[in-house]
Amino acid sequence: MRDKTNGRYMKYGLFLIVMFMLFVFPVLKPPLFFLSLLFTAYMYVALAESWNLMGGYTGYISLGHIAFFSTGAYTTAVFMNRFGVSPFATALLGGFFAAVLAALVGYPVLRLKGAYFTISSLLLAVVMQLIFMNWDFVGSSVGLWYKLLPVSIEINRMIFYEVMLFLATAITLIVRWVEKSKFGAGLIAIREDEDVAKTMGINSPWLKMKAFILGAFFAGVIGGVYGYYIAYVHPEVTFNINTSLLILLMSFFGGCRTWVGPLFGAIVLSLVNQLIVTFIGAEISRILYGMLLVVVIIFMPDGVIHYIRGLFVHRKIRHGDSIL
Amino acid sequence: MLKVNKLYVEYDGVPALRDISLIVNEKEIVSVVGANGGGKTTLLRTISGLIKPTSGTIEFMGEEIHTLSPHEICMRRLIQVPEGRQLFPKMKVIDNLKMGAYLPEARKNLPQSLERVYKLFPIFKERTKQKAALLSGGEQQMLAISRALMSMPKLLMLDEPSEGLSPLFTDNVFETLKILKEQGMTILLVSQEVERSLELSDRAYVLENGQIIMEGKGGELLCNDKVREAYLGM
Amino acid sequence: MTLSYIIESIISGILLGGIYAILSVGFGLTWGTMKVLNISHSVFAVLGAFVSYWLFVKLKVDPILSLPLIVIILFSSGAIIYKLVIRPVQRAKDVIMASMVATFGVAIVVENVMSYFWRPDPRILKPAYASSSIFLGEISISQGPLIGFIMAICAISLLYWFLNHTYIGKGVQATWQNPIGAALVGINQERVSLITFGLSIASAGAAGVAMALIYAFYPSVQSIWTLFVFLVTIVGGVGSVIGTGLAGLLIGSIIGICAAFLPFVWVNVLLFALLLVILLFKPEGLFGN
């Protein structure tokens, strides 16, 4: 008993130390490259965690997450470019718009199951991309440019670093809390067997809707900050299908049954991805993560953490089993 | 001809068959009787290669077949008429029959096999173009048997061939089996119709909870008090 | 806007629809029969287009003549993908979802390998005859789409013939209708699956050549083609060859009519919105059973 509480304090202590170190990291004046590297890693942590609410817990695999992300980015862009409004509050507004979009789309789309849901979510992203490509108000295929924060690039990167660190931490903690709550138990019951869950009195349409909207809200906020960070939006940048897939891969790679999986997957893969993109080439990186996706689905459908643990415990994990 | 030796089968870790040994000799009719859920279907599916045994061996014509896949077992002309008939519902009667002769050896013999089936069940000659799904339950069972015959079986296994059929068609099925026996076919029959199966069979096994609890000549078992009490309600 | 212009638009739409049909038919086949939702389907169409393009540019082999070679090459690629990816994935609990995610990976790999070796620039397959037109009175029909259409019709007919008039083709159908029954008449399911998948990819390759006669192609165009494949397959009903054919023609005509009045991008928006609506209200398709 005592050991257990001690262990818990150890964990909390460790968590606080790590967070503190990450928090003060920019003060050491590292090269900007590292800041943007970590910024992107945090962003993917936040995205993967928010995606995992639906994709991991309920097993409703969405490829439309970038639609919500882009909604956030475009909200910032439009407010900056058209109205000259530039507080971070637009990020929250982006989250709000994304949530509204999710509510509108979710009502019909969440009735679909399996592949049909996935395809519809992908279509949502594609249709939005096509519309944004041709909608002059949001810059159509030229995109929208706007000013960076009126401070030096170092300070600029530092601010965004801290904001994204905060977002990633907050979202991960919220998702972790959801996982352990009754809400999360309901979502997991839906993944196991939606019909059985319904007979157990779980209001599955409502739970799915909540998870979908919450995930979309997070993605919108993240997009809002991101839009501010890059100071330029373009449909082909924000609505990139590869981003959706990368998020999915990160969750699956880490293991999408728990909040730890996306966290681990997003950190490892986003760092590896960025390093390969920077030093070798984007195509090679995509080739590698495409292969990784296949390998993960075939050999470690529960994620690499589970897989490695399985190797040590000598418990036999059956290939191709589990949530898929 | 068929020799099942100390067969164990598990379903998700739960034992379904335990220590099953049985023999079918050439030109014999052997039946396996017992209550539902006793493991009869599992036994036939294992022999056909649809399920892999945990341990034990299955020999057919002196060759071990329990490691082979279903189509390789079919090639050795050990053919099953499965439970629930498992026809191809959207295909015509004639195509269902032709699929029975899918393997090259059977395909070569297609006209003769068709002739034989039409002789046994003349209605199929008139209804070659009908979709299998539109046949009545009894006719579907006849078609399933016919499809198996198209594969030119050396040993024919039937899984509950009279299940869900009207008394008239049940008579028909057992009549057909009698004819096949007279033609010299070796048959392994699994059925809940205990009395009729035992009457027809040379030998029989009683399967209960995945184990063989009794075996003997068909007639002997029919007179056995326990069998009479448990299965015939006497 | 004259009447002949509208008729021309409709005709070119129908020709295009035939090509969409052959692009989709294999996809629906693997989804319907093997429960394999192959997202990498159209990336192999692009691969087919590339092989045909290189044979034409480097060796001056006409796309029509090289078609059999392309079918063979893509069938083999399909067989390899089947062995490496599909076969292991078929053990999963939910084969459709697992295959969908895994083949997404395959699509990315193949797309980026092409883009790495051959650059992401758009290209078009332009044999001399493709740029000329046939005139019927006032109506002109360009030969590129016409030849693509004829290729597509031949390929669909071949596939249809294979499925309904050969033993292996019937075995494919039998496996689809009743896997246990199929196993018990001696059908080797792994072999049947491999052939089905190989043919599906081969048909995609042929479709890619036909597409390349009309449109510019580049590695990442596969994701747009994939959406068209979805559209046609869902409208036609998953797994129905005839349904897919009809759906292709229907969608082609819609594209033709809309393109006469709307800018092309809005046609796409309209079509994908239509797909969303169909998914929501009639996911079994308009021509499905």
Side-chain angles (χ1 to χ4, degrees), chain A residues 59-61 63 108-112 114-116 118-124 126-127 130-131 134-135 192 241-242 245 248 252 257 282-284 286-291 293-294 297-298 318-324, chain C residues 31 37 39 84-86 88-89 91-106 108-109 111-113 115-116 119-120 223 226-227 230 234 238 265-266 268-269 272-273 275-276 279-281 283-284:
Chain A
Y60 275 67
I61 295 177
L63 289 174
V109 166
L110 284 172
R111 286 185 310 175
L112 299 172
Y116 288 95
T118 309
I119 298 162
S120 311
S121 65
L122 177 65
L123 274 173
L124 170 71
V126 172
V127 168
L130 284 173
I131 292 175
N134 296 282
W135 187 8
E192 296 300 330
I241 293 177
N242 286 308
L245 268 175
L248 183 155
F252 271 73
R257 282 161 177 256
E283 275 138 2
I284 299 293
R286 290 198 205 116
I287 291 170
L288 289 176
Y289 78 67
M291 285 177 176
L293 190 56
V294 176
I297 294 295
I298 294 175
R318 278 165 59 197
H319 292 175
D321 228 34
S322 106
I323 72 146
L324 282 183
Chain C
W31 188 357
L37 208 167
I39 299 281
L84 288 181
V85 180
I86 307 299
V89 158
R91 272 173 292 189
K93 229 188 262 165
D94 186 344
V95 179
I96 293 186
M97 288 306 277
S99 60
M100 184 180 76
V101 180
T103 52
F104 236 121
V106 175
I108 295 187
V109 173
E111 177 192 322
N112 285 284
V113 166
S115 150
Y116 183 77
R119 308 281 94 214
S223 52
T226 300
L227 289 173
F230 267 123
I234 302 255
V238 175
V265 272
W266 293 111
N268 279 357
V269 172
F272 296 145
L275 173 53
L276 255 179
L279 275 173
L280 291 174
F281 297 104
E284 71 278 14

Side-chain angles (χ1 to χ4, degrees), chain A residues 274-288:
Chain A
Q274 290 180 77
L275 290 174
I276 297 176
V277 169
T278 315
F279 295 111
I280 305 176
E283 275 138 2
I284 299 293
S285 163
R286 290 198 205 116
I287 291 170
L288 289 176

Side-chain angles (χ1 to χ4, degrees), chain C residues 28-39:
Chain C
L29 190 67
T30 53
W31 188 357
T33 56
M34 296 162 62
K35 305 294 163 219
V36 167
L37 208 167
N38 179 19
I39 299 281

Side-chain angles (χ1 to χ4, degrees), chain C residues 11 30 43 50 55 70 77 82 143 181 189 203 241 259 273 280:
Chain C
I11 290 178
T30 53
V43 94
F50 262 111
L55 286 172
I70 283 167
S77 322
Y82 176 79
Q143 281 193 4
Q189 299 196 349
S203 72
V241 174
L280 291 174

Side-chain angles (χ1 to χ4, degrees), chain A residues 21-209:
Chain A
M21 280 163 56
L22 291 178
F23 178 72
V24 297
F25 177 66
V27 181
L28 303 175
K29 301 234 181 296
L32 286 184
F33 173 71
F34 284 103
L35 284 186
S36 61
L37 197 68
L38 283 172
F39 172 86
T40 311
Y42 299 153
M43 185 177 88
Y44 275 114
V45 168
L47 281 174
E49 290 288 351
S50 63
W51 180 86
N52 208 44
L53 277 174
M54 275 308 278
Y57 298 145
T58 68
Y60 275 67
I61 295 177
S62 161
L63 289 174
H65 212 54
I66 36 163
F68 305 123
F69 174 76
S70 300
T71 305
Y74 266 93
T75 305
T76 298
V78 167
F79 273 86
M80 295 266 298
N81 187 296
R82 300 274 166 198
F83 310 124
V85 180
S86 65
F88 272 102
T90 55
L92 280 179
L93 205 60
F96 172 74
F97 284 140
V100 171
L101 177 67
L104 291 177
V105 175
Y107 178 70
V109 166
L110 284 172
R111 286 185 310 175
L112 299 172
K113 292 209 168 83
Y116 288 95
F117 171 80
T118 309
I119 298 162
S120 311
S121 65
L122 177 65
L123 274 173
L124 170 71
V126 172
V127 168
M128 276 182 71
Q129 183 184 25
L130 284 173
I131 292 175
F132 276 52
M133 278 287 227
N134 296 282
W135 187 8
D136 289 335
F137 181 69
V138 297
S140 58
S141 59
V142 183
L144 284 179
W145 273 273
Y146 35 92
K147 278 192 228 99
L148 287 170
L149 282 182
V151 288
S152 73
I153 182 89
E154 286 80 16
I155 304 287
N156 193 39
R157 287 288 154 91
M158 211 162 122
I159 293 172
F160 280 102
Y161 172 94
E162 300 295 357
V163 170
M164 199 47 96
L165 175 62
F166 168 75
L167 267 184
T169 314
I171 291 174
T172 305
L173 288 176
I174 294 171
V175 170
R176 176 175 177 269
W177 172 77
V178 167
E179 184 183 313
K180 300 192 188 290
S181 72
K182 211 178 137 198
F183 176 30
L187 294 180
I188 291 165
I190 291 173
R191 175 184 65 201
E192 296 300 330
D193 192 325
E194 189 160 357
D195 293 325
V196 172
K198 273 183 185 159
T199 60
M200 276 156 49
I202 288 170
N203 185 352
S204 79
W206 173 231
L207 286 191
K208 283 188 293 185
M209 192 63 150

